[in-house]
Amino acid sequence: MIARIWGAIATEKGADAYRSHFEGSVVPSLRRVPGHRGAYLMERDNEGSVEIEVVTLWESMAAICAFAGPDVDTAVVEPAARAALTGFDDTVTHFTVVVDTVR
């Protein structure tokens, strides 16, 4: 399994808007992609802003390619997400999951 990790920054209001976007749009879209294995949306308050970290789980790089297109290291950030955020990473990081205790 491969973890695809991406980060962003938002105001508290923006973080709420991003969470709604993630649950209402991103998650349903991800569930339709063959090879998608789950996702985590994490937040951390940081002196007036909110750090956001998204981890999506995939069975293969081919599955990630079906979601992200041929440039798998470029972040997929929809306009609604961009509007909610004050900043975000343009790229993602991929890690191979070597131990999984969640399943």
Side-chain angles (χ1 to χ4, degrees):
M1 184 164 46
I2 299 167
R4 178 180 169 92
I5 303 167
W6 172 79
I9 302 289
T11 62
E12 287 184 27
K13 184 178 177 181
D16 290 343
Y18 182 76
R19 188 179 320 113
S20 293
H21 167 72
F22 188 83
E23 291 176 317
S25 179
V26 176
V27 170
S29 294
L30 291 173
R31 287 185 173 146
R32 290 191 292 271
V33 180
H36 172 69
R37 295 293 173 247
Y40 293 96
L41 171 59
M42 301 172 289
E43 296 178 350
R44 178 172 76 154
D45 290 335
N46 187 11
E47 300 179 14
S49 65
V50 179
E51 294 180 38
I52 296 169
E53 199 79 10
V54 176
V55 178
T56 55
L57 302 170
W58 302 89
E59 72 180 24
S60 66
M61 288 305 287
I64 293 171
C65 202
F67 164 71
D71 187 2
V72 295
D73 292 329
T74 297
V76 177
V77 187
E78 297 173 350
R82 291 173 186 264
L85 303 169
T86 58
F88 57 87
D89 295 338
D90 292 323
T91 59
V92 299
T93 305
H94 298 97
F95 284 88
T96 300
V97 176
V98 295
V99 175
D100 178 0
T101 65
V102 175
R103 294 176 188 255

